[in-house]
Amino acid sequence: MSPPQGEMNQCVVLREKNDIVLESRPIPQLAHGEVLINVKATGICGSDVHYWLHGGIGDFQLKAPMVLGHESAGIVAEVGPGVKNLKVGDRVALEPGVACRMCEQCKTGRYNLCPEMSFAATPPIDGTLCNYYKHAADFCFKLPDHVSLEEGALIEPLSVGIHSARRANIKSGDRVFIFGAGPVGLLCAAAAKAAGAGHVTIADLVPSRLEFAKNYCTDSQVLLQRSQSGEPNIEYSRRMAKEILKTEELADAVIDCTGAETCVQMSVLLSKNGGSVVLVGMGGSVQALPISEISSREVDIKGIFRYCNTYATGVKMLASGSIDVKPLITHTYQLQDAVEAFKHVKEGRDGAIKVQIVA
């Protein structure tokens, strides 16, 4: 199943801001402990689009051409020296961040915080949106026969949901409130339900997203109003939170998947005394928060950075049917149509939730 002699590797490359091309590159050579994956399904993440439109995210700025993509699954095409857990033909989901395995964070199980993390499609590391991608074998997870590769690719954003539910310490019967009904918000809802949440509410500005959410792992949906002209963020947040609480109860856990300052503020205001707020979305680096509410009501604010120790759990969830990610895949494209796929995600047209590029 090795690539044919002389075959090139078609890759979706971001050359610079607003410039995506399909480029042929050599098929990578394997080192000890690595496998070559024939990539079959890759989801387009909001971060991919952000790199395309802005050339960077925070401290991670594009300085050289980079292959995009990090939500992938495929088939093992070649096995490098020292690999014992995989064989050619295995169907796998790729956990896209490879840690050093040696530092304090790695050794205590929080390898997502490893300072030497190499994460696909985070400058300067190339991503997975290509025909062939080499990867550490211990960060590849076998998929059962009845779980498709398209589903396997969604274990990456599902991992964000699993990690968020763990950070929120969601327990059986808890009420959970989520801001943002995009793919990550919906998968946070799915993970919350799988963790035992008794009631999940999701909020968004886009009515079509809330229509989708009615039939996906949520019990109630809230259409957010836009702020009034000149209205300070905190005043809008207090007004909107008061409006929400006319029909909703305070939540044991609030998960913000937007990064918007107003949603972070509302997350605090909608939390129970002693509740948790988990910040998934990445917005402004400095934001104003209602500190008196946080202190006097002992609201725990928790950040999350990607995820750790979630992929094996995600595989089991898909295999058992406790979470169904198939409805999220609304559109698919071939690799040669990648630019059109990115435009589709940017425009959010035709009710797009998750757009995947498949082979």
Side-chain angles (χ1 to χ4, degrees), residues 46-299:
S47 65
D48 293 316
V49 176
H50 200 280
Y51 278 120
W52 172 41
L53 297 178
H54 302 283
I57 299 175
D59 293 335
F60 300 107
Q61 296 295 314
L62 188 73
K63 297 179 180 177
M66 177 184 75
V67 180
L68 292 166
H70 60 270
E71 300 179 5
S72 291
I75 300 171
V76 176
E78 193 174 317
V79 174
V83 174
K84 297 180 180 179
N85 63 315
L86 295 172
K87 65 183 185 304
V88 171
D90 282 342
R91 301 161 65 258
V92 296
L94 281 64
E95 181 173 355
V98 178
C100 78
R101 309 173 182 85
M102 299 298 291
C103 69
E104 178 185 359
Q105 299 294 343
C106 287
K107 288 184 177 294
T108 55
R110 302 184 73 181
Y111 61 85
N112 58 315
L113 303 179
C114 172
E116 302 299 323
M117 172 68 76
S118 294
F119 199 92
T122 298
I125 308 300
D126 282 326
T128 61
L129 197 40
C130 52
N131 294 133
Y132 292 99
Y133 183 78
K134 73 170 185 176
H135 202 48
D138 55 327
F139 283 85
C140 295
F141 293 80
K142 291 182 187 179
L143 296 172
D145 290 342
H146 66 284
V147 174
S148 71
L149 290 166
E150 290 80 9
E151 292 171 87
L154 273 163
I155 295 175
E156 200 283 331
L158 173 59
S159 286
V160 177
I162 295 168
H163 191 52
S164 300
R166 290 174 179 172
R167 291 283 285 161
N169 194 30
I170 294 171
K171 303 179 296 298
S172 180
D174 277 358
R175 294 187 70 92
V176 177
F177 196 105
I178 297 170
F179 284 101
V184 170
L186 292 167
L187 287 167
C188 284
K193 279 291 189 180
H199 188 100
V200 175
T201 301
I202 199 162
D204 204 289
L205 287 163
V206 181
S208 62
R209 286 186 165 186
L210 296 178
E211 279 299 314
F212 183 94
K214 283 182 181 179
N215 299 307
Y216 194 81
C217 300
T218 65
D219 300 288
S220 57
Q221 304 78 35
V222 172
L223 180 63
L224 298 173
Q225 303 167 12
R226 297 191 181 273
S227 60
Q228 298 169 0
S229 178
E231 185 177 24
N233 279 356
I234 190 61
E235 295 304 317
Y236 164 80
S237 298
R238 292 189 186 281
R239 177 174 64 81
M240 195 70 237
K242 185 176 180 181
E243 187 68 23
I244 291 169
L245 290 174
K246 290 179 180 179
T247 55
E248 298 288 332
E249 298 178 20
L250 293 171
D252 298 281
V254 185
I255 301 174
D256 174 58
C257 300
T258 71
E261 181 179 82
T262 50
C263 291
V264 176
Q265 292 170 344
M266 283 189 284
S267 295
V268 174
L269 300 173
L270 295 176
S271 173
K272 282 183 177 179
N273 292 0
S276 295
V277 171
V278 176
L279 305 180
V280 177
M282 296 184 71
S285 59
V286 178
Q287 299 189 7
L289 296 180
I291 296 298
S292 60
E293 294 267 358
I294 295 169
S295 298
S296 64
R297 300 200 295 112
E298 291 193 357
V299 176

Side-chain angles (χ1 to χ4, degrees), residues 14-20 49 51-55 62 346:
L14 178 64
R15 293 195 296 198
E16 59 185 8
K17 184 172 72 172
N18 292 316
D19 185 11
I20 294 176
V49 176
Y51 278 120
W52 172 41
L53 297 178
H54 302 283
L62 188 73
K346 181 185 76 169

